[in-house]
Amino acid sequence: MSKIKLATVWLDGCSGCHMSLLDIDEHLALVAQKADIVYGPLVDAQEFPEGVDVTLIEGAIANQDDLKLAQTIRRRSRMVVALGDCAVTGNVPAMRNSIPVKQLLDRVYVQGVTTSPMIPTDGVPALLKRAVPVHEVVSVDLHVPGCPPSAAAILHVVSELLEGRKPDVASKTKFG
Ligand code: SF4
C-alpha cells in the first residue's frame, strides 16, 4: 500500500506547534511507517509538491508569501489542517492588527533606531494589512486549537487522518 503524503508548513508562528509535533517522540517512527513527509521544516524540499494528502499549517497568514503559499497548498492538498491557535484564530500575530502597517514598521525599524534606521524591503515579503487565520484566505478542512496543541492531541489527529478517519478534535484540544 502506498504511503500517505504528509506536509507540514510553518507560516507566521513561533514554531511551538512544530515543537509539539516533535514531542510525539517515538510515535514519529510510527507516523513515518505510514506517511512520507514531503514538505516542511522537518525535510529539505524546496517547493510545495503536487498531490499532497494532508497538510498541517502552523501560523497565521501575515504577508504576501504566506498568502501565495497557502493558496498553493490548498490547490495541491486533499486535506488542509489549521494547527494551533495562530492558524485557527490569528492569535499572537493578529495582535498587531489594530496598528496600521506603516506605523508599525516605522516604530520597529525607524523610531528610536540610531544605526541605519530603514524599513527593510529587499527580499522581505510585504505585510498584509492584517494577520489573519488560514480559513480567511483558503478553505480549511480541520481546525486544531491550542497554543500549542498538546503532543497527545497532535498524535491523535495525525494518527486518525493517516487511518482515513475524522479525528475527534473537540475532546482533545482547547484554545490557549
Ligand atoms: S499557536 Fe502558539 S505555539 Fe503555535 S505558533 Fe502560535 S504562538 Fe506558537
Side-chain angles (χ1 to χ4, degrees), residues 13-17 58 84-86 91-92 146-148:
C14 72
S15 89
C17 292
E58 169 190 323
D85 288 351
C86 294
N91 197 30
V92 177
C147 183

mmCIF file of all heavy atoms in Angstrom, residues 13-17 58 84-86 91-92 146-148, ligand 1:
data_model
loop_
_atom_site.group_PDB
_atom_site.id
_atom_site.type_symbol
_atom_site.label_atom_id
_atom_site.label_comp_id
_atom_site.label_asym_id
_atom_site.label_seq_id
_atom_site.Cartn_x
_atom_site.Cartn_y
_atom_site.Cartn_z
ATOM 1 N N GLY A 13 4.151 31.819 12.728
ATOM 2 C CA GLY A 13 4.025 31.231 14.059
ATOM 3 C C GLY A 13 5.397 31.187 14.696
ATOM 4 O O GLY A 13 6.395 31.575 14.080
ATOM 5 N N CYS A 14 5.446 30.677 15.919
ATOM 6 C CA CYS A 14 6.710 30.731 16.672
ATOM 7 C C CYS A 14 7.485 29.427 16.591
ATOM 8 O O CYS A 14 8.521 29.295 17.248
ATOM 9 C CB CYS A 14 6.418 31.066 18.119
ATOM 10 S SG CYS A 14 5.649 29.684 19.008
ATOM 11 N N SER A 15 6.968 28.451 15.860
ATOM 12 C CA SER A 15 7.490 27.087 15.722
ATOM 13 C C SER A 15 7.081 26.201 16.893
ATOM 14 O O SER A 15 7.394 25.012 16.907
ATOM 15 C CB SER A 15 9.015 27.030 15.501
ATOM 16 O OG SER A 15 9.710 26.965 16.727
ATOM 17 N N GLY A 16 6.360 26.767 17.862
ATOM 18 C CA GLY A 16 5.931 25.963 19.012
ATOM 19 C C GLY A 16 5.036 24.801 18.615
ATOM 20 O O GLY A 16 5.076 23.736 19.241
ATOM 21 N N CYS A 17 4.225 24.998 17.582
ATOM 22 C CA CYS A 17 3.346 23.900 17.154
ATOM 23 C C CYS A 17 4.162 22.766 16.534
ATOM 24 O O CYS A 17 3.856 21.594 16.737
ATOM 25 C CB CYS A 17 2.285 24.419 16.178
ATOM 26 S SG CYS A 17 1.082 25.516 16.949
ATOM 27 N N GLU A 58 0.984 25.502 10.494
ATOM 28 C CA GLU A 58 1.194 26.291 11.716
ATOM 29 C C GLU A 58 1.294 27.763 11.329
ATOM 30 O O GLU A 58 1.979 28.110 10.361
ATOM 31 C CB GLU A 58 2.513 25.890 12.407
ATOM 32 C CG GLU A 58 2.879 26.878 13.516
ATOM 33 C CD GLU A 58 4.292 26.684 14.084
ATOM 34 O OE1 GLU A 58 4.748 25.547 14.221
ATOM 35 O OE2 GLU A 58 4.918 27.716 14.405
ATOM 36 N N GLY A 84 -3.015 24.768 15.566
ATOM 37 C CA GLY A 84 -2.654 25.750 16.590
ATOM 38 C C GLY A 84 -3.435 27.037 16.456
ATOM 39 O O GLY A 84 -3.979 27.368 15.391
ATOM 40 N N ASP A 85 -3.473 27.781 17.555
ATOM 41 C CA ASP A 85 -4.325 28.971 17.628
ATOM 42 C C ASP A 85 -3.965 30.046 16.600
ATOM 43 O O ASP A 85 -4.842 30.775 16.132
ATOM 44 C CB ASP A 85 -4.261 29.580 19.033
ATOM 45 C CG ASP A 85 -5.003 28.743 20.071
ATOM 46 O OD1 ASP A 85 -5.706 27.791 19.670
ATOM 47 O OD2 ASP A 85 -4.876 29.043 21.268
ATOM 48 N N CYS A 86 -2.679 30.186 16.252
ATOM 49 C CA CYS A 86 -2.324 31.213 15.255
ATOM 50 C C CYS A 86 -2.971 30.900 13.913
ATOM 51 O O CYS A 86 -3.468 31.795 13.229
ATOM 52 C CB CYS A 86 -0.801 31.324 15.104
ATOM 53 S SG CYS A 86 0.007 31.942 16.580
ATOM 54 N N ASN A 91 -4.474 34.662 16.590
ATOM 55 C CA ASN A 91 -3.750 34.602 17.867
ATOM 56 C C ASN A 91 -2.647 35.671 17.987
ATOM 57 O O ASN A 91 -2.910 36.851 17.791
ATOM 58 C CB ASN A 91 -3.172 33.186 18.028
ATOM 59 C CG ASN A 91 -2.752 32.831 19.441
ATOM 60 O OD1 ASN A 91 -3.323 33.316 20.399
ATOM 61 N ND2 ASN A 91 -1.748 31.971 19.577
ATOM 62 N N VAL A 92 -1.443 35.289 18.297
ATOM 63 C CA VAL A 92 -0.367 36.259 18.574
ATOM 64 C C VAL A 92 -0.063 37.159 17.363
ATOM 65 O O VAL A 92 0.021 38.391 17.518
ATOM 66 C CB VAL A 92 0.917 35.545 19.056
ATOM 67 C CG1 VAL A 92 2.042 36.546 19.255
ATOM 68 C CG2 VAL A 92 0.635 34.780 20.347
ATOM 69 N N GLY A 146 -5.169 25.299 20.192
ATOM 70 C CA GLY A 146 -4.157 25.067 21.226
ATOM 71 C C GLY A 146 -2.941 25.927 20.942
ATOM 72 O O GLY A 146 -2.643 26.217 19.785
ATOM 73 N N CYS A 147 -2.283 26.353 21.988
ATOM 74 C CA CYS A 147 -1.103 27.215 21.817
ATOM 75 C C CYS A 147 0.038 26.706 22.706
ATOM 76 O O CYS A 147 0.332 27.286 23.713
ATOM 77 C CB CYS A 147 -1.461 28.659 22.145
ATOM 78 S SG CYS A 147 -0.093 29.826 21.887
ATOM 79 N N PRO A 148 0.700 25.652 22.226
ATOM 80 C CA PRO A 148 0.363 24.845 21.048
ATOM 81 C C PRO A 148 -0.629 23.738 21.427
ATOM 82 O O PRO A 148 -0.821 23.466 22.606
ATOM 83 C CB PRO A 148 1.723 24.224 20.685
ATOM 84 C CG PRO A 148 2.384 24.025 22.018
ATOM 85 C CD PRO A 148 1.936 25.179 22.888
HETATM 86 S S1 SF4 B 1 -0.304 28.630 18.303
HETATM 87 FE FE1 SF4 B 1 1.103 29.178 19.979
HETATM 88 S S2 SF4 B 1 2.732 27.645 19.842
HETATM 89 FE FE2 SF4 B 1 1.632 27.586 17.852
HETATM 90 S S3 SF4 B 1 2.749 29.036 16.535
HETATM 91 FE FE3 SF4 B 1 1.128 30.199 17.536
HETATM 92 S S4 SF4 B 1 2.092 31.107 19.366
HETATM 93 FE FE4 SF4 B 1 3.421 29.446 18.669
#
